Amino acid sequence: MTELQTTPRPRRPRPKAVNLTEAAAARVRDIMAKPRTDGAETPYVGLRVGVKNGGCAGQEYTFAYAETIAPLDEVVEDKGVTILIDPKAILFLIGSEIDFETTTLSSKFVFRNPNQTDACGCGESVTIIPVTALED
């Protein structure tokens, strides 16, 4: 028998799980550039984004400063910002865009998530279905 030789096929670029608008990236860069309020000198490595159960629609988006990158975090670099996505939330967030909006009464981060199917009246909680595996 002859040995079958294979050549590695180049992998196609993997799309980012989430994208930031320029307004959101500028706001995150501004927040991260400020000194920590807890007195610690170690800078944050990024912004952790996730989804948790709660609210009247069933789920809520979460934001937190990240001091370390966990082994299973999805790391997204976009417009000079490091976003860390909790592995339990990745299927709920794929394809999302994070924006930062300022109105007369508020300033807030806003998710535009193609996986979101519903939201409560106050806008604090959402219903999200996870992405299913796509066929090649």
Side-chain angles (χ1 to χ4, degrees):
M1 283 188 137
T2 62
E3 281 189 41
L4 182 63
Q5 291 192 357
T6 60
T7 56
R9 189 173 78 170
R11 298 186 90 180
R12 64 180 176 190
R14 190 168 142 194
K16 294 178 183 175
V18 298
N19 291 300
L20 299 169
T21 65
E22 191 53 52
R27 181 64 180 140
V28 172
R29 286 191 304 264
D30 181 50
I31 291 169
M32 299 299 261
K34 294 180 181 177
R36 289 179 58 161
T37 58
D38 62 2
E41 293 184 26
T42 308
Y44 294 113
V45 297
L47 183 66
R48 186 173 307 283
V49 177
V51 175
K52 69 176 186 174
N53 291 335
C56 52
Q59 296 162 306
E60 300 172 339
Y61 295 111
T62 63
F63 283 105
Y65 297 114
E67 294 180 346
T68 60
I69 299 173
L72 297 178
D73 281 344
E74 178 78 18
V75 180
V76 176
E77 300 281 343
D78 192 25
K79 299 176 180 68
V81 173
T82 301
I83 303 292
L84 307 172
I85 302 174
D86 176 21
K88 293 179 279 186
I90 191 70
L91 291 178
F92 293 99
L93 296 176
I94 290 176
S96 295
E97 178 182 69
I98 303 172
D99 195 7
F100 184 75
E101 295 179 349
T102 301
T103 65
T104 305
L105 298 175
S106 68
S107 297
K108 61 184 176 181
F109 286 98
V110 176
F111 278 80
R112 293 189 187 97
N113 186 341
N115 310 306
Q116 182 176 316
T117 60
D118 197 11
C120 68
C122 67
E124 293 297 317
S125 68
V126 294
T127 303
I128 309 170
I129 56 169
V131 173
T132 57
L134 301 175
E135 295 182 28
D136 258 345

